[in-house]
Amino acid sequence: MKKVILTDVDGVLLNWEYAFDTWMNEQGFKTVDGEQFVYNMGDRYGIERQQAKKLIKIFNESAVIGFLPPLRDAVQWVTRMADDGWTFHAITSLSTQYHARKLRKQNLDKLFGEGVFTEINCLGTGADKDEALAKYKDSGMWWIEDKVENAQAGAEAGLKPIVIEHGFNMNEKHKFPVAKNWKDVYDIVTKS
């Protein structure tokens, strides 16, 4: 049987927050105090939510998106899992713009190796993932995500969510296993 893990990308495999913050600082924006505990980028930068959405879309469709650094220990453990026979399907609310999708694939292939991600599904910027997850309905596959709302959507589709811990989701109440890093994901997946 083919071993497939479904995974979000930003905040799970790649450190989108770090890259976005660097880019926002270059645009003259600064974060508010306690920003690491805030998910919404408008609130995080003290700007209107609509302005934040526009800036995120511009960032996600810029050349920067092809060069995001990995999150924590993702490269080490994802490549180990790939060596153990796992393949990965990415479901990412990045952009449907052609070049953004190409840069996302290039970034993942460069960091994790070609062939590790056998599918990369790029949804619109900030899009819900319910429809994309429906393709895997009742498969019981693992679903790695940092947004609890999307983890819940995966559970409702018959998947097994694992939530990657961040400051913004630490205090959210849910029933899913929490992983601080990909070593934790590896342990949860291989010991189940």
Side-chain angles (χ1 to χ4, degrees):
M1 183 173 145
K2 192 161 121 179
K3 299 190 299 185
V4 177
I5 290 182
L6 308 176
T7 183
D8 180 26
V9 177
D10 299 310
V12 174
L13 297 164
L14 302 178
N15 197 340
W16 184 91
E17 280 183 51
Y18 168 80
F20 184 69
D21 188 52
T22 301
W23 183 81
M24 286 290 280
N25 288 334
E26 290 169 356
Q27 311 311 309
F29 295 94
K30 301 290 181 215
T31 55
V32 299
D33 288 339
E35 53 81 22
Q36 68 273 26
F37 302 109
V38 179
Y39 181 78
N40 181 281
M41 292 299 141
D43 295 343
R44 192 177 275 209
Y45 289 92
I47 60 177
E48 293 293 321
R49 290 181 179 210
Q50 280 307 111
Q51 182 184 12
K53 286 180 180 181
K54 287 177 185 173
L55 289 165
I56 291 167
K57 185 169 174 44
I58 292 167
F59 174 77
N60 282 359
E61 294 178 353
S62 75
V64 176
I65 212 67
F67 302 92
L68 300 187
L71 183 73
R72 304 176 191 149
D73 62 349
V75 170
Q76 176 185 358
W77 291 96
V78 168
T79 54
R80 178 167 176 181
M81 293 177 85
D83 290 344
D84 290 347
W86 290 90
T87 59
F88 294 81
H89 292 187
I91 301 171
T92 177
S93 298
L94 174 74
S95 171
T96 57
Q97 197 251 4
Y98 173 80
H99 294 291
R101 290 192 325 259
K102 295 294 277 185
L103 287 167
R104 171 60 31 110
K105 180 179 181 345
Q106 171 189 301
N107 197 185
L108 291 172
D109 287 348
K110 181 181 71 176
L111 291 173
F112 298 98
E114 290 187 27
V116 171
F117 291 88
T118 56
E119 288 187 28
I120 301 172
N121 187 354
C122 290
L123 310 173
T125 306
D128 291 334
K129 297 180 179 170
D130 303 60
E131 192 174 317
L133 293 170
K135 172 181 173 182
Y136 304 97
K137 186 164 179 55
D138 296 327
S139 65
M141 291 179 175
W142 292 102
W143 166 228
I144 318 303
E145 175 62 74
D146 63 326
K147 190 174 176 183
V148 173
E149 178 183 325
N150 289 334
Q152 182 61 43
E156 289 169 8
L159 306 174
K160 297 185 291 191
I162 298 173
V163 174
I164 298 291
E165 185 178 83
H166 288 276
F168 63 78
N169 67 19
M170 290 175 66
N171 297 317
E172 286 192 56
K173 300 219 181 301
H174 59 82
K175 60 183 182 212
F176 311 119
V178 174
K180 293 182 187 304
N181 52 43
W182 273 86
K183 167 70 167 81
D184 290 351
V185 171
Y186 177 85
D187 288 342
I188 293 166
V189 168
T190 59
K191 293 176 180 171
S192 292

